[in-house]
Amino acid sequence: MNITINLSMALVLAVLYSVGFYLLMQRSLMRILIGIVVLGHGANLLLQLAGGAPARAPVLDAVPPQEISDPLPQALALTAIVITFALTTYLLALGYRSWVLVGHDEVQDDVEDRRIAARRGPDGAMEEGTAEETEAAPEDTADSHELEEGRR
Amino acid sequence: MTTPSEAPPGPPGDADPPGPGDTPWSRWDQPSGRWMLPGACPDSRERTLVLEAAARLLFPTVLVFSVYLLFEGHYGPGGGFSGGLVAGLAFVLRHIAGGDDNILVSRFGIRPPVLAGTGLVIAVLTGLAPVLWGEPVLASTKWHISFGSFGYLDVVSSLLLDVGVYLLIIGVVLDLLRSLGSGIARDAREAGETAPRPDTGGGR
Amino acid sequence: MTLLQAFVTLPVLLPMLGAAASVIVSPRASLQRVIGVVTLALVCVVAGVLLVSADSYGPVVAQLGGWPAPMGIVLVADRMSALLLLISTLVTLAVLVYAIDQRISDYGRETASTTFHPIFLLLSTGVSLAYLTGDLFTLFVAFEIMLASSYVLITRRTSASRIRSGMTYVIVSLMSSLLFLTAVGMVYAATGSVNLADLAGRVGMLPEGLKTVLALLLVVVFGIKAAIVPLHFWLPDSYPNAPAPVTALFAGLLTKVGIYALLRTQTLVFPQDHPSTLLLVIAAVTMVVGALGAVAQDDLNRLLSFLLVSHIGFMLFGLAVYTPSGIAGTALYIVHHITVQATLFLVSGLITRRTGTVSIAQMGGLAQTAPHLAVLFAIPAITLAGLPPTSGFVAKLALLRAGAGATPAAEIVAAFVVLASLLTLYAVARVWVRVFWGTPKEPLVDNDPNDELVVGTARSARGMYVGASSLIVVSIVIALFAGPLSAIASRAGDDLQTREAYRSAVLGPDTAPGGPGPVPVAAVPQGPAAAGGGAAIGAMTADDAEGTTSR
């Protein structure tokens, strides 16, 4: 039983993975969602290919025993498809909630992180009550405005 | 097969139909029997009669097919998951055709989460049951039931697990319909729109 | 023995059953609470039985459906998994008690939720399955159950900020899951098996380069889940925005499951006999970056999240040394850290409820106004920093001793352990000074009462204190019984390093369904025999490996 890799399938995998990862790097949740779906297809195809050459059935009696393909990866892929399906619906719901609450479905940066990065100096000193957090860097106010706007 | 019990009469004239009382003209052809009919439609302008008629025909057929898949699952392609999804699709079709009146809720008082929970309980208990006979968890056995001259029936105990999965999936799909289908439609109606605005995200 | 084998499945099936029952009774809040607590208490008992049994008779293996190991799915409870299962479930139970009382005091006694209790129990299902599973794909499924539940918990009662942080969390987790799936596919393509014990024999036959690729892929996957440093960025962003009990649960369990998966796969499938430089470097960087990040924070929850990242590095260090004592140190550290980190987040929840803000700069004088909170914070904080009489000290000592005996590189990283401990001490001391000393400040008014985050009143019910303080009791018990616990941990470390107990329990002939007698501790070593067990697939494996690598 000599298993060789189908070149076209390898190419399809490469395309699916690169498209998926490219979409994952977008800002809009909808594109990310599509990216995850595409990536999921890629992963499932990889699982399928792990079970042997394509276009062979894993069903007893349908094909001669020496041509039967490994059923386990197909079972794994089925499970993975179910999971991807469930998480896709969840992401859809999340995108919808985001659209309702914030008005867009953009995935944003870590606000607090930028605020801390923009702070003038470390205020980790242990003297009590020295730092006045209320007057923060200008970026902070811009960000919180953004958030406040979103909340409305 | 799904004819309404009381056929909504009345000539489709310009004036109000005189016959069955105070039915407004926009409602005269509203389905009046409940079983197997798409539910109330909040805005009759959104109705598509072809789809409704098709849904009436398809809904029971698809349900029967889903049960077939459920029973076929042990030996052929099918099983609780695909059966449940197909049955869920029947409900989705009904939802698209007839709006958010869920027949299981309105007619039988079964909430989707309860359906899903019951399915999961059945599945888990089926998995645990073999322990009572000293077998490993999730082991299954086959019963051979003979009907004399009518033939025989092989029942596998994992069918019960499949039934659990079937119910679970239907429950989950119905819950999805409620939150993503009816929920979004309701939000949109409350916002005074007929459908969510199409310009959601993406344009950047 | 079948009954004991059935016991192995209970930590997975019981919470699942509880979740289902909890959904069914969902209009009745009190019933939901009873179901949740009873289920988790039962799982605690089961986990205790499993630990005792695994410690005295060797790993307990359940073959689902009676299918033998390389083909079927197995659940394995050895010393390591049973130990972590027990402590995780205890923490889950305490967090549930806290959460229940928080919900009662926030929404009233009668308010039920169709999501909270069932999802909470489902999360517990996923965690148990991840600890117990014996194959890579089931591990993937366990992670998905766990993560899907965590997605729901982290985005419940959505506000704008929670949606934002939830999205980051969900997307990063989903990406790591898809990478995991890819890794599973590649492992299967290379070896023809996903069973961990079986893989242990088969991966050894692969060419060195392929082996490295697979190992690295899994390190990245579990590294994202465990938040080790180059892959940690999502954690301090997402955790602080969730309600306190949810954050406590995530901080206590989810990252530790990632570390456990790393521990299991690295020791069992990709064993090494010398310290791994890569992991040592990552561990050192994780410790320092996390601790420095914590020092810079003003938000109490973010500070704790960075400390969590930092202490992930400690656990990684024990693994990176690759000696039985190092692995034992990691086990001990995980046990200690699950408890303490969850406690700190719960106490942080109590503090923010009291003060109405998460900003350390806006708190002050709590030692006067709420002395009980000061006690509740001080004990776990000192434990986390690892001062002598506490469980943190015991665990850190175990790690340091493991590092001291190993290579010079490991000894340098051991110095980083001390450094990161000092930084941790500095960070918690800073919290102490700012929050508990100084002039008392008026509690702020909450701006978003719906997000379960900040309330700004003293409305903290008794159960919340019970939940938090019971975890403190657990950590004190860990410190008191450090001797027996270290003994179990070092036996677990030996198990993981030698691999024979695990492999023979899973693949050996003694665990056939309905097999006679107890599982023997020392079974016949049978490496190559087991690897060649499935003749057909074994033949395919060799071909497969060639086919993959020749390209």
Side-chain angles (χ1 to χ4, degrees), chain B:
Chain B
M1 98 189 177
T2 58
T3 332
S5 48
E6 317 157 25
D14 293 335
D16 283 350
D22 318 314
T23 319
W25 66 270
S26 60
R27 295 278 169 125
W28 67 269
D29 61 343
Q30 191 182 15
S32 52
R34 293 181 66 189
W35 169 236
M36 287 185 187
L37 288 175
C41 194
D43 186 349
S44 60
R45 284 168 304 180
E46 290 175 8
R47 293 180 63 185
T48 56
L49 287 176
V50 176
L51 191 59
E52 261 183 41
R56 286 180 205 184
L57 190 65
L58 284 177
F59 180 67
T61 322
V62 175
L63 278 189
V64 170
F65 178 59
S66 78
V67 175
Y68 164 76
L69 281 180
L70 168 67
F71 280 94
E72 175 68 9
H74 194 71
Y75 294 109
F81 180 73
S82 42
L85 268 190
V86 167
L89 281 179
F91 284 97
V92 172
L93 178 69
R94 207 169 166 284
H95 174 88
I96 293 173
D100 43 332
D101 172 47
N102 187 337
I103 194 164
L104 283 177
V105 179
S106 59
R107 183 84 176 178
F108 302 106
I110 305 174
R111 293 179 309 118
V114 172
L115 203 60
T118 315
L120 194 51
V121 166
I122 292 175
V124 173
L125 288 184
T126 315
L128 275 176
V131 176
L132 298 181
W133 284 271
E135 296 289 324
V137 171
L138 280 173
S140 72
T141 180
K142 195 160 89 172
W143 295 297
H144 187 84
I145 305 170
S146 180
F147 294 102
S149 53
F150 291 104
Y152 64 93
L153 189 64
D154 278 341
V155 181
V156 191
S157 66
S158 61
L159 179 67
L160 258 180
L161 188 95
D162 265 349
V163 169
V165 175
Y166 180 83
L167 292 179
L168 172 66
I169 297 296
I170 295 183
V172 168
V173 172
L174 289 181
D175 218 21
L176 276 181
L177 264 188
R178 195 190 56 180
S179 50
L180 282 186
S182 317
I184 291 183
R186 194 181 54 240
D187 284 357
R189 262 202 310 286
E190 281 166 4
E193 299 167 15
T194 48
R197 269 184 298 145
D199 59 359
T200 59
R204 299 167 187 92

Side-chain angles (χ1 to χ4, degrees), chain A residues 4-147:
Chain A
T4 51
I5 284 193
N6 192 327
L7 183 64
S8 60
M9 281 299 158
L11 280 179
V12 169
L13 273 185
V15 169
L16 283 177
Y17 270 86
S18 37
V19 168
F21 275 117
Y22 177 76
L23 285 171
L24 266 187
M25 285 185 276
Q26 303 292 303
R27 278 282 176 186
S28 155
L29 188 66
M30 270 307 118
R31 294 185 186 189
I32 291 175
L33 175 75
I34 295 171
I36 282 172
V37 170
V38 170
L39 209 52
H41 288 331
N44 285 322
L45 188 59
L46 179 73
L47 272 179
Q48 295 280 332
L49 291 177
R56 285 182 180 175
V59 183
L60 270 182
D61 305 333
V63 285
Q66 64 273 18
E67 282 181 16
I68 201 166
S69 82
D70 190 353
L72 184 66
Q74 310 217 356
L76 303 189
L78 183 64
T79 316
I81 288 171
V82 173
I83 291 172
T84 322
F85 161 73
L87 294 179
T88 308
T89 54
Y90 174 77
L91 265 187
L92 272 175
L94 191 65
Y96 176 72
R97 286 299 295 169
S98 166
W99 180 67
V100 166
L101 278 171
V102 193
H104 56 77
D105 66 341
E106 234 176 80
V107 179
Q108 291 161 321
D109 288 338
D110 186 349
V111 184
E112 179 80 7
D113 206 33
R114 278 190 281 164
R115 204 177 66 76
I116 289 175
R119 225 154 48 179
R120 281 177 302 260
D123 65 340
M126 300 246 268
E127 298 89 50
E128 45 190 275
T130 45
E132 281 308 318
E133 294 300 319
T134 38
E135 44 115 14
E139 277 83 350
D140 165 39
T141 42
D143 283 336
S144 53
H145 274 300
E146 205 173 277
L147 263 187

Side-chain angles (χ1 to χ4, degrees), chain A residues 1-5 17 21 24 29 32 36 39-40 43-44 46-47 50-51 70 72-73 76-77 79-80 83-84 87 90-91 94-95 97-98 101-102 105-113 115-116 119 123-131 133-134 147 150-151, chain C residues 137 140-141 144 148 151-152 155 158-161 163-164 166-168 170-171 174-175 178-179 181-182 184-186 188-189 194 233 236-237 295-299 302 306 359 361-362 426 429-430 433-434 437-439 441 447-448 536-537 540 543-544 547-548 551:
Chain A
M1 193 152 68
N2 189 18
I3 295 179
T4 51
I5 284 193
Y17 270 86
F21 275 117
L24 266 187
L29 188 66
I32 291 175
I36 282 172
L39 209 52
N44 285 322
L46 179 73
L47 272 179
D70 190 353
L72 184 66
L76 303 189
T79 316
I83 291 172
T84 322
L87 294 179
Y90 174 77
L91 265 187
L94 191 65
R97 286 299 295 169
S98 166
L101 278 171
V102 193
D105 66 341
E106 234 176 80
V107 179
Q108 291 161 321
D109 288 338
D110 186 349
V111 184
E112 179 80 7
D113 206 33
R115 204 177 66 76
I116 289 175
R119 225 154 48 179
D123 65 340
M126 300 246 268
E127 298 89 50
E128 45 190 275
T130 45
E133 294 300 319
T134 38
L147 263 187
R151 201 166 284 166
Chain C
F137 191 77
F140 167 75
V141 175
E144 288 314 301
Y151 301 155
V152 178
T155 52
T158 43
S159 62
S161 68
I163 277 277
R164 186 192 64 74
M167 269 187 193
T168 316
V170 172
I171 292 166
L174 268 179
M175 199 200 67
L178 287 172
L179 276 182
L181 198 57
T182 311
V184 171
M186 286 168 72
Y188 190 83
V194 286
F233 52 88
D237 187 19
V295 170
Q297 301 301 315
D298 174 54
D299 179 330
R302 283 179 67 91
F306 269 104
S359 166
Q362 295 176 26
Y426 174 70
R430 184 168 151 262
V433 169
R434 291 283 189 80
W437 285 353
T439 47
K441 293 184 180 167
N447 46 7
D448 190 358
I537 291 188
M540 204 180 80
D543 286 350
D544 223 339
T548 320
R551 244 132 264 273

Side-chain angles (χ1 to χ4, degrees), chain C residues 335-414:
Chain C
V335 168
H336 140 74
H337 194 253
I338 287 179
T339 330
V340 167
Q341 194 75 42
T343 322
L344 277 175
F345 272 109
L346 290 185
V347 175
S348 152
L350 289 172
I351 293 176
T352 49
R353 282 171 80 83
R354 179 85 191 193
T355 58
T357 174
V358 289
S359 166
I360 297 172
Q362 295 176 26
M363 304 177 187
L366 271 186
Q368 291 172 36
T369 50
H372 46 290
L373 270 184
V375 176
L376 279 186
F377 179 80
I379 298 174
I382 289 172
T383 312
L384 187 72
L387 293 189
T390 60
S391 64
F393 176 70
V394 176
K396 283 206 176 82
L397 193 64
L399 281 180
L400 286 176
R401 282 167 71 176
T407 57
E411 282 170 358
I412 295 174
V413 180

